[in-house]
Amino acid sequence: MLGIINYKIGNLASVQNAFKRLNQEVVLIEDPQKVKICSLLVLPGVGAFGDAMEHLRRSGMQEAILEYVKSGKYLLGICLGMQLLFQRSEEFGEHLGLGLLEGEVLKIRGLKKGEKIPHMGWNLVKMHQDSPLFKGIPTDFYLYFVHSFCVRNLSNAIGVSHYGIEFASIVQKDNIIGIQPHPEKSHNVGLKILQNFIHLKD
């Protein structure tokens, strides 16, 4: 069973529908005690980093996520959910994240004329390291982005993109995976990535 964490900040419907299109059983998780029953776990997110972390801490979900990762089962963070995997963010002040991955979430800088914040639309992702997540996908592909902050630390990047600066668009460390763009809004390539994520548990 795949669990999607419902912490009141997220693109739940579109993520849920994408997995249903792939015939994957999905359950929305609001009770931290139910995290452990999932074979796969997704942390979605659209909104502010600080508000999201406050809700995860207050609800007990932060501790549940950390314990889940220790079990060796796969966790996928999408958009804000990816950013929350890191140590801290400078969005509206400084906020601590889950600390599962090394690095900071920083505002996109170095924009050229005509480039605006938020970074919104289709952008190229270049494969930085091979991963089962990319099975059946070209080394260069496009996904749909909506974000104003990014991770510049490429130590765990398996996919990189460029908008003003080069940043980590897809990261993986063992059973921890993060995707900055929205695979659920990225048509066939995005669905293929989600399908590959499902098969990681096999």
Side-chain angles (χ1 to χ4, degrees):
M1 180 167 54
L2 183 147
I4 300 177
I5 296 175
N6 182 9
Y7 60 115
K8 313 304 181 185
I9 300 178
N11 46 325
L12 292 180
S14 57
V15 173
Q16 188 176 15
N17 289 336
F19 281 111
K20 286 183 176 180
R21 287 180 62 187
L22 297 170
N23 298 313
Q24 171 63 45
E25 181 185 1
V26 177
V27 60
L28 297 181
I29 302 292
E30 297 185 26
D31 180 356
Q33 295 300 317
K34 293 184 178 179
V35 167
K36 63 186 72 172
I37 70 174
C38 299
S39 55
L40 295 166
L41 190 63
V42 176
L43 179 63
V46 173
F49 189 103
D51 292 342
M53 280 305 305
E54 175 62 24
H55 189 93
L56 291 178
R57 282 190 291 267
R58 193 172 59 247
S59 66
M61 197 65 77
Q62 176 179 1
E63 185 176 346
I65 292 170
L66 297 179
E67 287 299 316
Y68 178 88
V69 168
K70 289 179 184 177
S71 74
K73 292 185 284 188
Y74 282 92
L75 168 68
L76 170 64
I78 297 176
C79 197
L80 174 61
M82 169 183 147
Q83 296 178 4
L84 297 174
L85 302 176
F86 287 84
Q87 293 169 305
R88 61 185 61 85
S89 172
E90 67 172 8
E91 184 179 6
F92 304 122
E94 184 168 321
H95 305 278
L96 295 179
L98 292 169
L100 292 167
L101 299 175
E102 182 178 345
E104 296 179 304
V105 180
L106 304 172
K107 189 171 183 179
I108 295 174
R109 294 177 171 87
L111 297 179
K112 299 176 182 177
K113 185 177 180 180
E115 293 180 330
K116 299 179 180 180
I117 295 294
H119 170 212
M120 183 181 298
W122 296 89
N123 200 355
L124 182 67
V125 178
K126 289 182 172 288
M127 193 182 298
H128 192 62
Q129 295 183 42
D130 195 16
S131 166
L133 202 67
F134 296 144
K135 183 179 179 180
I137 296 174
T139 55
D140 295 349
F141 52 94
Y142 283 84
L143 295 176
Y144 189 83
F145 291 76
V146 182
H147 65 122
S148 301
F149 294 80
C150 67
V151 175
R152 298 179 64 180
N153 184 339
L154 302 183
S155 60
N156 291 303
I158 60 173
V160 297
S161 297
H162 192 279
Y163 189 78
I165 55 174
E166 187 176 53
F167 63 92
S169 45
I170 306 179
V171 296
Q172 181 173 6
K173 181 181 179 183
D174 302 324
N175 58 321
I176 304 165
I177 298 170
I179 302 180
Q180 179 62 69
H182 289 274
E184 76 283 2
K185 297 180 180 179
S186 299
H187 304 324
N188 291 338
V189 173
L191 287 177
K192 180 61 176 174
I193 289 175
L194 295 181
Q195 185 178 55
N196 290 341
F197 173 69
I198 292 169
H199 290 311
L200 291 177
K201 70 180 188 299
D202 297 339

